[in-house]
Amino acid sequence: MTLSPARVPGTGPGSGPAVRRLTATLYGYAFLDDFVLLYPVYALLFSDTGLTVWQISSLFCLWSLTGVLLEIPSGAWADAVSRRLLLWFGPLLTAAGFTLWVLAPSYWAFALGFVLWGAKGALGSGALEALVYEELDRLGAADRYGAVMGRARAAGLVAVMAAMPLTGPVYAFGGYPAVGLASVLACLLTAATATRFPEHREPAGAAKDVDACREGPGDGTGEGLGDAVSNTPGDGWARMLRAGLAEARGNRSVRGALLLVPAVTAVWGALDEYTPLLVRDTGVAESAVPNWLLLIWAGATVGGLLAGVGRRLGTGGFAGLLAVSAVALAAGAWVRTPAGIGLVALAFCGFQLASVLADARLQDRIGGTGRATLTSVAGVGTDLTTIAVYGAYGVIGSATTHGAAFALFAVPYLVTAALLAVVGKGAGEKRTGGRRAARAARTSGSRARP
């Protein structure tokens, strides 16, 4: 018995209109979600309101902490109720926060806005990936998930790059209120687009899901999860949370995929916040910094678009991708020249590709009903690791140059690549040994026959 939504009869990878509707909605949602004109100037808004550097930093910490606290509960909620509901409700929270920022700018208004923004991020994280994967699986196109999500991330980066040149003219026309109004409109359009997502899913408390969980003996393969959740009183949020965590405990491949997501995503995602300082450290003029940042973001965009091709990489190829990207990051940052930024862009291309592939690996390995819950667990790991990187960068960046700090943060990727290479080699030897044993058994059997 499968835990995935039943496939539509007569559909498959080339099922046409249904897949096109899903992907078109996803790309539109991803673009509008990041087409926020406040992004380039909200730090300036805080400063112009009179906030100190410490107060601004505390707002960023509050933003991250909100996501950490709400990530897993919201993922379980997404498994228990409609994921589409969370995807259109979240942007409304962000719209309310942005409205507060421009109508009543103050520290507490900014703080409440960041709490609302963090809640929106938690509601969408896990719910979006789970909805897209299961809808593709229902249409027989689950193998396209990596390519589809890669293009979606690329659409978001394109939106950021498109919003940057528009922010200046809009600000010149109407100041922060005009920029805020444009950002609120983008949030409302994002919510409207989310209502177009298709969603075909059994209720969380369906009896067949429980029966399916009981099929396996609970021997570490992740199939015997029913015992962990079947005695939970009631249905809904608490049951989905237990089901997702039980699968992570019972399935080693799921645990490995959960750990891989933050290991790949967190470091370069945190370093992205410091790329303006890295670029300025190369000696370019202040006015030229945005142009070099566009090059870095273009690299990340290309990485997302390459996800379809990257799905062919095995564990060894994935390790090689991380190693090459880490070397490019270290070399490009260490030389402290504008030409080195090109290597940093190449590294971000590889890291973006690796992040999409890590998410796809996780989705492929999840077999239970707690897909959004487990994706949110990976998101919490990413958030916590990102906060740790922020703290470490504050110490390292204060003691050395930004180029040296970036180069040092390439080391975790080299360690991850080495671990993956060992795992891939062990898996290859196991497969080779299995094939040899099978051949020996066949040979022995043929000799035993008269």
Side-chain angles (χ1 to χ4, degrees), residues 275 278-279 281-282 292 295-296 324-348 351 401-408 410:
T275 50
L278 176 68
V279 172
D281 221 21
T282 64
W292 289 100
L295 175 62
I296 295 175
V324 170
S325 301
V327 171
L329 175 66
W334 185 262
V335 296
R336 296 180 63 189
T337 64
I341 301 302
L343 287 175
V344 175
L346 177 63
F348 273 45
F351 292 142
T401 65
H402 293 290
F406 268 68
L408 187 59

Side-chain angles (χ1 to χ4, degrees), residues 81 90 124 142 191 201-202 259 262 289 295 350 354 359 387 389 425 446:
V81 299
R201 192 163 60 98
E202 293 289 341
L259 293 173
V289 169
L295 175 62
D359 172 50
I387 293 173
V389 173
K425 183 179 179 181
S446 64

Side-chain angles (χ1 to χ4, degrees), residues 171-441:
Y171 178 80
F173 173 77
Y176 290 121
V179 174
L181 175 61
S183 301
V184 169
L185 290 176
C187 293
L188 296 178
L189 289 174
T190 304
T193 302
T195 64
R196 299 290 300 164
F197 275 117
E199 185 175 25
H200 304 82
R201 192 163 60 98
E202 293 289 341
K208 70 175 186 178
D209 287 342
V210 177
D211 293 336
C213 286
R214 290 173 177 161
E215 288 180 359
D219 57 359
T221 63
E223 295 178 348
L225 305 177
D227 293 338
V229 296
S230 58
N231 294 327
T232 304
D235 296 320
W237 179 87
R239 181 180 171 193
M240 289 299 99
L241 178 60
R242 290 175 182 251
L245 297 179
E247 182 170 6
R249 289 194 303 268
N251 192 319
R252 181 180 298 176
S253 67
V254 171
R255 288 200 305 273
L258 281 173
L259 293 173
L260 184 62
V261 171
V264 170
T265 306
V267 175
W268 81 274
L271 291 179
D272 177 59
E273 301 294 336
Y274 301 98
T275 50
L277 303 176
L278 176 68
V279 172
R280 188 175 63 182
D281 221 21
T282 64
V284 302
E286 292 278 349
S287 59
V289 169
N291 297 329
W292 289 100
L293 292 179
L294 285 175
L295 175 62
I296 295 175
W297 290 330
T301 302
V302 172
L305 295 175
L306 291 175
V309 178
R311 283 297 296 269
R312 303 170 189 171
L313 293 175
T315 301
F318 191 94
L321 172 65
L322 286 181
V324 170
S325 301
V327 171
L329 175 66
W334 185 262
V335 296
R336 296 180 63 189
T337 64
I341 301 302
L343 287 175
V344 175
L346 177 63
F348 273 45
C349 173
F351 292 142
Q352 176 73 290
L353 172 58
S355 298
V356 176
L357 296 181
D359 172 50
R361 286 177 177 231
L362 175 60
Q363 301 302 327
D364 287 340
R365 283 160 174 74
I366 296 174
T369 56
R371 183 175 302 278
T373 302
L374 287 173
T375 306
S376 293
V377 170
V380 167
T382 300
D383 290 341
L384 291 174
T385 308
T386 299
I387 293 173
V389 173
Y390 286 149
Y393 195 98
V395 175
I396 297 171
S398 299
T400 185
T401 65
H402 293 290
F406 268 68
L408 187 59
F409 277 106
V411 173
Y413 285 112
L414 292 174
V415 173
T416 302
L419 293 174
L420 286 173
V422 171
V423 171
K425 183 179 179 181
E429 290 176 350
K430 185 176 180 181
R431 287 193 297 269
T432 301
R435 288 194 294 267
R436 288 175 180 170
R439 285 197 299 268

